């Protein structure tokens, strides 16, 4: 199985800050990577697919990059509604696997 | 509008069985692969299983292989997860999600399964 490792596991940031989350795959997955936002009690929300494709309706302050084994999710200017847990997920091969999550907290 | 609504969760004893359902609406259900993902209390998301659009192909996480069975009823726009030989570590919120090539684009709000005596 492909292991996905996210860092950091948590980050404290202020509104307006730039936040970067990294995700590393244990083997090459080309660009088959998705990023999700999850808030407690809510359905997870797909933000980015194919490593860098922003989903419809997702604010442009979110961006994704990378290919192969190393990927990045960037929030360019953190907004109050962005405080949540973020997960990467590889879609290269089954079983699909998620990173352990990165909790973005208010500083 | 795409909507996925899970049901069937509850309290079950270790070794017991439970069947989850996911009612889909707002899209051509029979055209999409479907998935189950779970989240144990205080833990992260874990992919559980997937089924292709016509139900002829499935995949499972090793942790549930041989105990869980995914199926679908395209005439009823419904996804199922039959869970048997349940263990305490299966306690989680179970989400159904619509799949596409590189991710899961719509999710339900989940149903809680608690395995405890």
């Amino acid at each position: 199985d492909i292991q996905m490792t996210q860092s950091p596991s948590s980050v404290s940031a202020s509104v307006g800050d730039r936040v970067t989350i990294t995700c590393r795959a244990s083997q090459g997955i080309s660009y088959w990577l998705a990023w999700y936002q999850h808030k407690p009690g809510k359905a997870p929300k797909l933000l980015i697919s194919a490593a860098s494709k922003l989903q419809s309706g997702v604010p442009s302050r979110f961006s994704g990059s990378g290919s192969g084994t190393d990927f990045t999710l960037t929030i360019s200017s953190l907004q109050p509604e962005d405080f949540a847990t973020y997960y990467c997920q590889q879609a290269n091969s089954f079983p699909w696997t998620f990173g352990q999550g990165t909790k973005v907290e208010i500083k | 509008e795409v909507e996925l609504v899970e049901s069937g969760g509850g309290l079950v004893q270790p070794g017991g069985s439970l069947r989850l359902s996911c009612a889909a609406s707002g899209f051509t259900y029979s055209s999409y692969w479907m998935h189950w993902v779970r989240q144990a209390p205080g833990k992260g998301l874990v992919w559980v299983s997937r089924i292709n659009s016509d139900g002829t192909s499935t995949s499972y996480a090793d942790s549930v292989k041989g105990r869980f069975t995914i199926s679908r009823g395209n005439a009823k726009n419904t996804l199922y997860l039959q869970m048997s030989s349940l263990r305490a570590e299966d306690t989680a919120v179970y989400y159904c999600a619509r799949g596409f090539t590189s991710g899961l684009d719509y999710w339900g709000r989940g149903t809680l399964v608690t395995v405890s005596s």
Side-chain angles (χ1 to χ4, degrees):
Chain A
D1 298 0
I2 299 174
Q3 307 304 316
M4 305 301 293
T5 303
Q6 277 182 244
S7 61
S9 55
S10 66
V11 56
S12 293
S14 301
V15 172
D17 284 353
R18 181 183 184 89
V19 173
T20 299
I21 299 168
T22 64
C23 180
R24 173 164 287 177
S26 60
Q27 63 189 74
I29 59 170
S30 186
Y31 55 89
W32 298 111
L33 185 99
W35 288 98
Y36 301 88
Q37 177 191 68
H38 193 201
K39 297 180 180 179
K42 298 284 187 71
K45 178 182 179 182
L46 177 65
L47 301 174
I48 288 169
S49 64
S52 61
K53 181 179 179 181
L54 197 67
Q55 296 302 112
S56 175
V58 175
S60 59
R61 62 181 179 272
F62 290 93
S63 64
S65 64
S67 66
T69 60
D70 294 308
F71 302 86
T72 300
L73 173 71
T74 300
I75 310 172
S76 60
S77 177
L78 199 65
Q79 297 301 301
E81 60 268 30
D82 300 337
F83 292 97
T85 300
Y86 293 83
Y87 295 90
C88 62
Q89 173 245 314
Q90 65 83 16
N92 181 75
S93 61
F94 289 108
W96 285 4
T97 43
F98 289 86
Q100 78 276 22
T102 296
K103 188 172 185 178
V104 178
E105 300 174 299
I106 301 172
K107 194 172 191 178
Chain B
E1 179 189 0
V2 173
E3 189 172 22
L4 298 169
V5 179
E6 302 91 341
S7 61
L11 176 64
V12 60
Q13 292 188 337
S17 298
L18 207 58
R19 188 175 85 155
L20 305 183
S21 299
C22 171
S25 61
F27 65 103
T28 306
Y29 175 72
S30 59
S31 296
Y32 288 84
W33 290 31
M34 297 296 295
H35 299 247
W36 289 99
V37 176
R38 69 184 181 183
Q39 184 178 37
K43 303 295 185 181
L45 299 173
V46 175
W47 179 85
V48 172
S49 183
R50 68 90 187 167
I51 188 167
N52 69 344
S53 57
D54 64 4
T56 58
S57 174
T58 60
S59 298
Y60 298 92
D62 287 346
S63 58
V64 307
K65 201 173 294 182
R67 300 188 299 122
F68 290 13
T69 302
I70 190 172
S71 62
R72 64 191 297 159
N74 283 351
K76 293 186 176 182
N77 287 359
T78 304
L79 176 71
Y80 304 100
L81 186 67
Q82 178 68 46
M83 305 185 294
S84 60
S85 302
L86 283 161
R87 307 166 180 166
E89 54 265 36
D90 296 318
T91 294
V93 174
Y94 284 74
Y95 299 95
C96 70
R98 189 178 84 168
F100 68 112
T101 307
S102 53
L104 303 167
D105 59 356
Y106 288 94
W107 297 60
R109 297 191 67 166
T111 187
L112 176 62
V113 173
T114 303
V115 184
S116 175
S117 54

